[in-house]
Amino acid sequence: MCFSATASFGSGTLLLAIGTVTLRMARCPAERPYAAIPLLFAIQQLVEGVVWLSFGGPAWLNFVATQVYSFFSHVLWPVYVPLAAWLLEPRGPRRRGLLAFVVMGLAVGAYLLYSLVVNPIQARPMAGHVDYQSPHFYIVASMTLYLLSTTVSLLLSSHVWVKVFGALTLAASFTAYVFYAHWFISVWCFFAALLSGAVALHFIALRSIPQQRIPS
């Protein structure tokens, strides 16, 4: 979490449990990437706990933990989320539409990866939060593509609880920006991590309809 190492490790541990359950609930290979979202958020939160512990410690530990966390926040999610939603979707116009979001995610993910390599992100504690200094150009364009790929893509899904997850994370992004703009990266990732519990609701709903199958 963005408030303390204890909170980061606590939320990460909780999400490890949720992620383990959702992975076990996946019934075919196409469902596993979406089912793994809480588990990936767990790893990200645990890494942020290390970022907290690295303040005042070895510079190399702070650098490594910050870059690993930033890979999750900047590169992984815009690529992974629309791809996971695309894999869940049955053949049809929605699945074809999701391909556009996959392309958007790949584009912004590649750009942000390049930015991380050229200008590595620095992290420092500030006012009870982690401040990730993320300098790069085209911030409006990249942020728009990022939001489209990580949240709006889920709204295109034909699965109700996937849409709910997308709507919640989109709302959380606006909340984080309004109230925590300076620490937006850390705070929004924390909100999204907690909201990833909604992933389990998708699989609970699927289990109530045994005959429904997602193509692999």
Side-chain angles (χ1 to χ4, degrees):
M1 184 178 169
C2 48
F3 301 108
S4 69
T6 300
S8 292
F9 288 126
S11 59
T13 301
L14 174 63
L15 289 167
L16 278 177
I18 295 173
T20 300
V21 171
T22 54
L23 271 178
R24 288 178 178 175
M25 294 174 73
R27 299 178 299 181
C28 64
E31 293 179 343
R32 288 175 192 148
Y34 188 73
I37 287 176
L39 194 60
L40 292 171
F41 267 120
I43 297 171
Q44 184 179 5
Q45 290 302 300
L46 292 172
V47 170
E48 188 165 44
V50 177
V51 172
W52 270 108
L53 295 179
S54 71
F55 295 135
W60 67 266
L61 180 60
N62 178 267
F63 178 82
V64 171
T66 299
Q67 303 320 305
V68 173
Y69 180 89
S70 299
F71 178 81
F72 274 86
S73 63
H74 286 62
V75 181
L76 176 69
W77 292 125
V79 177
Y80 191 92
V81 170
L83 181 60
W86 178 79
L87 288 170
L88 275 183
E89 194 64 28
R91 290 185 178 88
R94 290 177 184 267
R95 184 178 171 95
R96 291 192 294 271
L98 278 166
L99 275 178
F101 289 94
V102 173
V103 172
M104 290 179 200
L106 286 169
V108 70
Y111 168 69
L112 292 174
L113 177 60
Y114 169 79
S115 297
L116 287 179
V117 173
V118 175
N119 295 301
I121 290 178
Q122 297 180 350
R124 61 176 181 172
M126 177 182 288
H129 302 276
V130 179
D131 177 25
Y132 293 98
Q133 298 179 319
S134 176
H136 58 79
F137 300 107
Y138 312 113
I139 189 167
V140 174
S142 61
M143 193 61 196
T144 299
L145 289 176
Y146 190 101
L147 284 172
L148 287 171
S149 59
T150 57
T151 62
V152 178
S153 64
L154 298 177
L155 300 179
L156 189 61
S157 174
S158 61
H159 302 287
V160 173
W161 285 107
V162 175
K163 288 181 178 179
V164 169
F165 181 39
L168 290 174
T169 52
L170 181 60
S173 71
F174 290 114
T175 301
Y177 185 78
V178 170
F179 294 102
Y180 301 96
H182 197 80
W183 308 280
F184 177 77
I185 295 172
S186 180
V187 174
W188 185 32
C189 282
F190 170 69
F191 287 164
L194 290 185
L195 292 171
S196 69
V199 170
L201 298 176
H202 166 74
F203 292 102
I204 291 170
L206 282 185
R207 283 193 168 195
S208 69
I209 313 174
Q211 72 274 15
Q212 182 172 345
R213 292 289 176 181
I214 304 297
S216 59

